[in-house]
Amino acid sequence: MQIAQNSVVAFHYTLTNDAGEVLDSSEGREPLTYLHGAGNIIPGLEKQLEGRAAGDKLQAQVAPEEGYGEIQPQLVQEVPRDAFQGVESVEPGMQFQAQTQGGPLMVTVTQIDGDTVTVDGNHPLAGQSLNFDVEIAEVREASEEEVEHGHVHGEGGHEH
C-alpha cells in the first residue's frame, strides 16, 4: 500500500541539521506513527512521504518554510524578571507557557540581563533546514474513528 490521504504511516527517522548534528532520532524506540494528510507532521516531510511504501528508504530535505517556519523577530521579547512570579530561579534554556493575545505560546528563556529576561517564542528549529533519513516501517488504511479524530489510535482504541 502506498502512502496517501488517510493512511496510517509508521517510520523510523534520524533528523540532522545542515552541520550534520543529530537533532532527533527514533533509533532504539518504536517508529513514529502518524495519520497522513491530517497535519500531524511538518508539511515538507509529509509531501515527500506521499506515494512511498513500507520498506522504502529516503533522504528528505525540508526547507524552513515547510518545516518549523522562518524565525519571526517579533516573537523575541524582553520582559521584566517579575513576570516570572513563583519561579525561584530563571535560567537560559528554561521554557514557559506565555499567555498572548493569540492564545498560549511556549517561550524559551535565551538571556538574562539584571531584571530583564529575553524570551523567544519561535520553535527551536525555526529557520533551520531539516535533513531526515527515513525508513518506512508500515503503511495501512486508517480506521473511520482515526480519520474522524484526526490522529492515530493505538492498540485497543484510545483514551481521550
Side-chain angles (χ1 to χ4, degrees):
M1 178 176 181
Q2 290 187 320
I3 298 173
Q5 182 72 30
N6 296 331
S7 299
V8 172
V9 181
F11 68 95
H12 284 285
Y13 68 94
T14 297
L15 168 62
T16 58
N17 60 18
D18 283 342
E21 299 168 306
V22 175
L23 303 175
D24 194 12
S25 176
S26 65
E27 188 174 331
R29 301 185 313 217
E30 291 294 312
L32 176 66
T33 304
Y34 77 100
L35 178 62
H36 192 80
N40 297 160
I41 65 172
I42 58 172
L45 181 57
E46 189 169 61
K47 284 178 186 174
Q48 293 186 53
L49 294 178
E50 183 93 22
R52 304 291 183 147
D56 285 357
K57 294 180 180 182
L58 69 140
Q59 292 184 330
Q61 295 180 315
V62 178
E65 57 271 14
E66 290 204 291
Y68 293 100
E70 296 291 349
I71 292 175
Q72 298 177 45
Q74 70 272 21
L75 294 180
V76 178
Q77 296 186 353
E78 292 182 348
V79 295
R81 168 64 180 90
D82 61 15
F84 297 87
Q85 295 199 4
V87 180
E88 200 172 299
S89 176
V90 178
E91 303 289 334
M94 293 177 86
Q95 292 189 314
F96 296 91
Q97 183 170 305
Q99 297 304 321
T100 70
Q101 292 176 339
L105 176 68
M106 285 301 296
V107 297
T108 302
V109 175
T110 57
Q111 185 177 337
I112 300 168
D113 186 13
D115 288 335
T116 302
V117 178
T118 304
V119 295
D120 187 347
N122 287 289
H123 187 282
L125 297 177
Q128 293 190 45
S129 294
L130 306 173
N131 304 294
F132 291 90
D133 192 7
V134 175
E135 181 175 357
I136 299 167
E138 179 186 357
V139 181
R140 68 170 172 81
E141 194 172 317
S143 69
E144 285 182 34
E145 188 176 55
E146 288 171 323
V147 172
E148 183 180 314
H149 289 197
H151 59 255
V152 176
H153 295 157
E155 296 286 323
H158 68 288
E159 302 279 334
H160 63 88

